[in-house]
Each structure stands twice: as structure tokens, then as C-alpha cells.
Amino acid sequence: MFSLKKEFGEKEKKFDRKKFVQILSISAVVGFLFAAAVRIWFVFPFVPETEEMSPSLPKGKRIYISRFVRDSSLFLGDVVLVEHPTQKGKVALVRIMGKSGDQISIKDKVLYRNGISEAQEKSDFNLQYKDARPAFSGTYSSRDNLSNLTVEDRNYFLLCDNRDDCVDSRDFGPLPFEKILGKVL
């Protein structure tokens, strides 16, 4: 049936090193371009420089941020990277604690969303308060005691996990969707 012998006049095939190197180099270039495109347009690494999200995302731990974020793909508890609204050129890593239509209030450092405290809701993240200071009075600052606030359409109420060491929606209010740069994977 099959003959493994060389027929008369047939050349023995040799390993073509030049073609192999050419294919290998083209594959490496295509792979590099694909990886660069993924990093530029889809996912990028980020290293938190502060303790704002400790202990869930500690300072110095590399995380990956997805650039593909739609309003419908954001849920309560998601951690997002946002343009800092008060400091130009800075970003903040924060957790979504309120979405469009939610009623938000804070009483003695406890967040209430639609009348339910965050302690009553089951969550997969830990809150941490580093300093033992009591809550600020409402006359001094609304940071620890915030009266009822309704989150507008396509806006998000964002809080850090380490609330005593950060600047978040308690300071600058809910942020619009357009300020969200990405979502932590």
C-alpha cells in the first residue's frame, strides 16, 4: 500500500532552518501585538498605592482592571477604578455601594441603603476602620453622618473599604458612569 522508500528522482526533504526562523519570528510578533492590544484596550494591571481598600485589596498588590465596563455590568459590591473628581490626574479605587434610584444615608459611620444597614446585608468584603475616633457630628462634617441622598440615574455612590483613610462619595457625592475607568477582575 504505502511505500516508505524514496522513489527514483525524489529528493530527501531537509529541515529548512530559514523558513522555521521566519515562521517563529512572525508568530512572536503577532503574539506580542495581540498581548499589547489586550493590555491597551481590554485589561491592564494596577497596583494600589494607598491602604484605601485594605484588607481586601492591600497596598502594593497587583490587580487587573477590565476596561470593558457598561452601566448594566456594574453591581453593588464591585470594585471600580475612577477618575478622582477633586484631584486632576489622580485615580481612586472604590467599591460601588449605591446605584441609580437608591436612597443612601450614613448614621454614625454605618451606611444605610434603602433603609437597610450594610451590617444586615450579606457581603463578601470586609470593612475596616483604622482609627478609633468617634463619628463626626453632622454640624462639623457630613462624612460620618449623611442625611438621605437619592442616587441619580447613571450615577454611583462609591465608598472605600478602609473608610477612615480615604476620600470617596461621602466627600464628593455620587459619581457619573463616565468617570469610571474600569472594573477589578
Side-chain angles (χ1 to χ4, degrees):
M1 275 195 183
F2 294 105
S3 173
L4 296 177
K5 294 182 180 178
K6 257 193 331 184
E7 298 294 323
F8 181 73
E10 191 176 302
K11 289 185 177 179
E12 187 176 315
K13 293 190 178 182
K14 290 186 177 181
F15 179 71
D16 190 356
R17 213 174 277 207
K18 184 177 179 183
K19 189 165 189 141
F20 176 75
V21 169
Q22 192 177 32
I23 290 172
L24 188 63
S25 61
I26 289 172
S27 299
V29 168
V30 169
F32 174 76
L33 291 175
F34 179 74
V38 166
R39 183 170 180 324
I40 291 169
W41 291 303
F42 302 109
V43 177
F44 64 95
F46 181 78
V47 179
E49 297 174 353
T50 63
E51 295 286 341
E52 291 177 339
M53 292 303 289
S54 288
S56 49
L57 298 171
K59 177 180 176 178
K61 179 185 179 191
R62 180 186 299 248
I63 57 175
Y64 292 92
I65 309 286
S66 169
R67 289 185 193 267
F68 278 113
V69 179
R70 292 187 315 236
D71 193 29
S72 62
S73 69
L74 295 174
F75 302 101
L76 291 174
D78 285 348
V79 178
V80 292
L81 185 70
V82 297
E83 292 178 31
H84 203 288
T86 59
Q87 299 173 7
K88 190 170 177 89
K90 296 263 185 177
V91 295
L93 200 58
V94 288
R95 189 176 299 275
I96 296 174
M97 297 303 287
K99 292 182 74 171
S100 301
D102 285 345
Q103 293 286 324
I104 301 292
S105 64
I106 298 175
K107 294 178 185 134
D108 295 327
K109 292 187 177 185
V110 178
L111 172 77
Y112 290 85
R113 189 177 61 82
N114 300 325
I116 300 170
S117 75
E118 62 189 340
Q120 293 173 321
E121 292 183 14
K122 299 219 177 205
S123 61
D124 297 335
F125 52 90
N126 299 322
L127 298 177
Q128 176 179 326
Y129 298 100
K130 276 197 173 177
D131 62 19
R133 68 176 167 83
F136 289 146
S137 69
T139 56
Y140 178 70
S141 169
S142 63
R143 185 174 168 80
D144 294 336
N145 289 294
L146 182 68
S147 60
N148 256 358
L149 167 82
T150 302
V151 181
E152 295 178 13
D153 191 34
R154 290 181 55 89
N155 281 285
Y156 295 90
F157 192 80
L158 308 166
L159 294 177
C160 301
D161 288 357
N162 193 350
R163 301 213 183 133
D164 288 335
D165 284 347
C166 72
V167 176
D168 52 27
S169 284
R170 295 171 298 166
D171 302 302
F172 49 73
L175 277 184
F177 172 74
E178 292 73 30
K179 294 283 187 181
I180 296 176
L181 301 174
K183 177 179 166 181
V184 173
L185 295 176

